[in-house]
Amino acid sequence: MSQYRPLSAVVLAAGEGTRMRSETPKVLHPLCGRPMLLHVIDALVALPLERIVVVVGHGAERVTKTLQEQLATELAVEFVEQRVQRGTGDAASVALTGGVFDLDAEDDLLVVPGDTPLLSAETLATLARAHREADAAATVLTAILDPPTGYGRVVRDANGAVDHIVEHADATPDELEVTEISTSIYCFRRGLLAPALRRLSPENAQGEYYLTDAVSVLKETGHAVIGVAADDPYETAGVNDRAQLAEVEATLRRRINRRWMRDGVSMTDPERTYVDATVELEPDVHLLPGTVLAGRTVVGARSVIGPDAQLTDTIVGEGAVVRQTVAHEVEIGDDATVGPFAFLRPGTRLAARAHVGTFVEIKNSDIGEGAKVPHLAYIGDAEIGDGANIGAGTITANYDGREKHRTKVGKDARISSNTVLVAPVEVGDEAYTGAGAVVTRDVPPRAMAKGVPAEITEGWLDKREAERD
Ligand code: UD1
Ligand code: CA
């Protein structure tokens, strides 16, 4: 008879991830812009859980901090430290005895590794349901994989029931032939798991306490152990090295892209379109090949991005066109056009219908409504008025070697080719500059600024340094 017991989850995330050969703890390696472990926790958070306990160890502080910063959930996520990594069985027992669980209460416990980022909430719910329906002591999520190399093999008895799980390194030649593997995702009766873990021994190829052995311990002590096969074996893929990281990320990317296409986004070549899990897209956005959208990027309806555009933490309005552009912490207004070959740095804001063209770099500047910076320009720390036009080759000389200064260009001003705006400086509304002008003083509205004041002062640097001392 199945009976209701509350459900909790334990995530094993203390391992070093030696096979990644990385300074970063394995579970923090990002997939589509979100750390591996957070993908796992996202799936858990979607379930009706009492609590989530994360076992941290290697890089414990970094792992805990990242989770606390990036997790937006009401649910209590608690951390328990496994100081020495003695294996998955030891990690599970640290979780149970770490002071978080009430030792008298009965509940069901999902145990998941921190390195299976494709795992869905549906699969976990199915696992918990099967576990309760069978009133099992342990339910193992299995998968049929060919080749099953590297995974623990699920060995069944003559009746087809799960007998034991054997690690690849400990398997006999016959066991190596088994293609049903343990995904390392389980549901346990917590009250039965605790004593089973105390009976594990580290006599195996890796000298570790294997959680997989809890299965045979439970079976030997007369408890029901069942195996449930995952519908999609790829969903439970574990990431142990960089090659698996890339494969799993590609799968996640396809999943993200399919979701956006279902929601009305066009992708000319989804295989060459890279959208982080944290990005938001509106209907009728069109992404061209080589588009990389990262972080908190948002793209408004009908905008066309790419080819070859890399936008990070960038907000694009509706109906904009952004070609061959790198943008980081930028706002691009409705119907604005950018590129090809523009570099927009933090603090750049383009108002509606602004145009930024070819080989233009902008940072920390506001470009007004309908204003144009069409070719070969550097605009830094500036405010360009509505309707102004910035000629080719224009730059703001915003840095005097010590400090940054601001430039202001008024509405409908016309800045001719190769103008140098030496900041701090202000050009009035509807003012003009002549080709090659070097503007060192403010230009009143509707005035013209022409010419180059290039006088030479010998010994200038000596004098400046003497002044500073
Ligand atoms: C594990 C399983 C294997 C299964 C495979 C599925 C064991 C012994 N093996 O192997 O049967 O087929 O997953 O992907 O369980 N961890 C700790 N503390 C430790 C050791 C590990 O928290 O002391 C964590 C790791 O951070 C990781 C997870 O447990 O998230 C699994 O460990 P890993 O070393 O990746 O196990 P596998 O060799 O993949
Ligand atoms: Ca693994």
Side-chain angles (χ1 to χ4, degrees):
M1 260 297 288
S2 75
Q3 62 182 82
Y4 178 77
R5 284 181 296 270
L7 186 65
S8 288
V10 166
V11 185
L12 309 182
E16 183 180 359
T18 324
R19 291 163 277 182
M20 295 294 282
R21 299 188 183 281
S22 176
E23 282 181 4
T24 303
K26 175 170 78 173
V27 293
L28 292 188
H29 278 259
L31 292 100
C32 299
R34 197 157 169 75
M36 193 181 315
L37 181 55
L38 274 146
H39 288 284
V40 175
I41 293 184
D42 288 343
L44 288 170
V45 162
L47 299 171
L49 296 178
E50 295 275 298
R51 52 162 49 92
I52 298 177
V53 178
V54 182
V55 182
V56 292
H58 186 80
E61 214 171 295
R62 243 176 109 181
V63 175
T64 308
K65 191 160 165 272
T66 306
L67 241 61
Q68 282 166 343
E69 279 168 4
Q70 297 193 27
L71 203 65
T73 171
E74 308 273 286
L75 194 67
V77 175
E78 288 153 289
F79 298 89
V80 173
E81 191 172 345
Q82 183 195 24
R83 286 179 198 282
V84 185
Q85 283 78 60
R86 293 197 196 90
T88 49
D90 180 61
S93 84
V94 167
L96 296 195
T97 56
V100 174
F101 288 104
D102 173 357
L103 294 179
D104 297 327
E106 259 299 353
D107 56 8
D108 286 313
L109 199 62
L110 287 168
V111 178
V112 299
D115 66 355
T116 53
L118 298 176
L119 188 59
S120 72
E122 293 72 40
T123 298
L124 288 167
T126 307
L127 177 71
R129 207 178 309 120
H131 176 77
R132 285 169 169 178
E133 278 168 9
D135 202 16
T139 304
V140 187
L141 186 68
T142 73
I144 307 296
L145 274 192
D146 207 358
T149 315
Y151 287 95
R153 310 298 206 277
V154 177
V155 182
R156 292 187 179 254
D157 63 19
N159 304 321
V162 175
D163 184 71
H164 65 278
I165 299 170
V166 60
E167 289 305 286
H168 185 102
D170 301 297
T172 63
D174 276 354
E175 288 170 334
L176 284 177
E177 295 293 309
V178 175
T179 54
E180 184 177 21
I181 61 103
S182 165
T183 62
S184 220
I185 297 157
Y186 315 83
C187 196
F188 288 106
R189 284 272 296 275
R190 183 165 59 85
L192 299 175
L193 176 62
L197 290 174
R198 289 196 285 272
R199 298 180 54 175
L200 302 186
S201 108
E203 277 148 34
N204 51 53
Q206 298 181 71
E208 288 187 350
Y209 294 91
Y210 290 164
L211 179 56
T212 45
D213 289 345
V215 165
S216 41
V217 169
L218 285 168
K219 163 109 187 183
E220 282 159 17
T221 47
H223 295 287
V225 175
I226 62 169
V228 175
D231 289 337
D232 173 5
Y234 297 103
E235 193 189 302
T236 57
V239 174
N240 293 327
D241 58 31
R242 307 263 183 168
Q244 288 168 330
L245 179 71
E247 271 172 43
V248 166
E249 188 176 31
T251 305
L252 188 61
R253 190 156 54 234
R254 271 180 227 121
R255 207 191 259 179
I256 290 170
N257 287 355
R258 271 201 300 273
R259 175 191 145 211
W260 287 120
M261 288 189 280
R262 257 200 318 274
D263 286 356
V265 170
S266 278
M267 297 184 184
T268 303
D269 184 354
E271 289 294 310
R272 293 189 54 217
T273 305
Y274 308 81
V275 180
D276 272 4
T278 41
V279 165
E280 295 289 332
L281 305 174
E282 287 179 4
D284 285 319
V285 161
H286 190 157
L287 304 180
L288 293 157
T291 293
V292 181
L293 303 180
R296 298 273 155 205
T297 293
V298 178
V299 182
R302 298 180 310 284
S303 288
V304 181
I305 314 292
D308 301 315
Q310 184 184 14
L311 312 186
T312 306
D313 297 328
T314 288
I315 313 291
V316 182
E318 300 186 352
V321 175
V322 181
R323 292 182 284 174
Q324 281 100 349
T325 290
V326 174
H328 183 200
E329 290 174 23
V330 167
E331 288 175 38
I332 297 173
D334 295 345
D335 302 305
T337 50
V338 181
F341 312 113
F343 182 26
L344 305 181
R345 294 165 50 200
T348 297
R349 285 187 300 205
L350 313 185
R353 291 184 309 286
H355 171 61
V356 170
T358 314
F359 304 120
V360 172
E361 174 177 342
I362 305 184
K363 74 124 207 192
N364 191 30
S365 295
D366 286 288
I367 310 297
E369 231 179 278
K372 294 187 172 67
V373 191
H375 354 254
L376 298 157
Y378 169 66
I379 304 295
D381 304 308
E383 190 183 314
I384 308 295
D386 297 346
N389 187 83
I390 308 294
T394 293
I395 68 155
T396 53
N398 57 332
Y399 185 51
D400 62 9
R402 287 180 235 176
E403 279 174 65
K404 303 279 173 63
H405 300 283
R406 294 200 62 85
T407 300
K408 193 170 173 213
V409 173
K411 283 186 189 158
D412 297 313
R414 293 284 172 271
I415 307 298
S416 273
S417 300
N418 263 350
T419 297
V420 179
L421 298 161
V422 183
V425 74
E426 193 171 326
V427 176
D429 293 350
E430 296 179 271
Y432 280 61
T433 70
V438 175
V439 182
T440 56
R441 286 182 298 137
D442 290 352
V443 182
R446 300 178 72 84
M448 163 63 87
K450 268 183 169 172
V452 179
E455 11 163 321
I456 294 169
T457 309
E458 286 191 42
W460 175 84
L461 185 58
D462 299 331
K463 248 185 264 163
R464 184 169 89 158
E465 283 171 357
E467 277 167 24
R468 276 159 106 184
D469 294 337

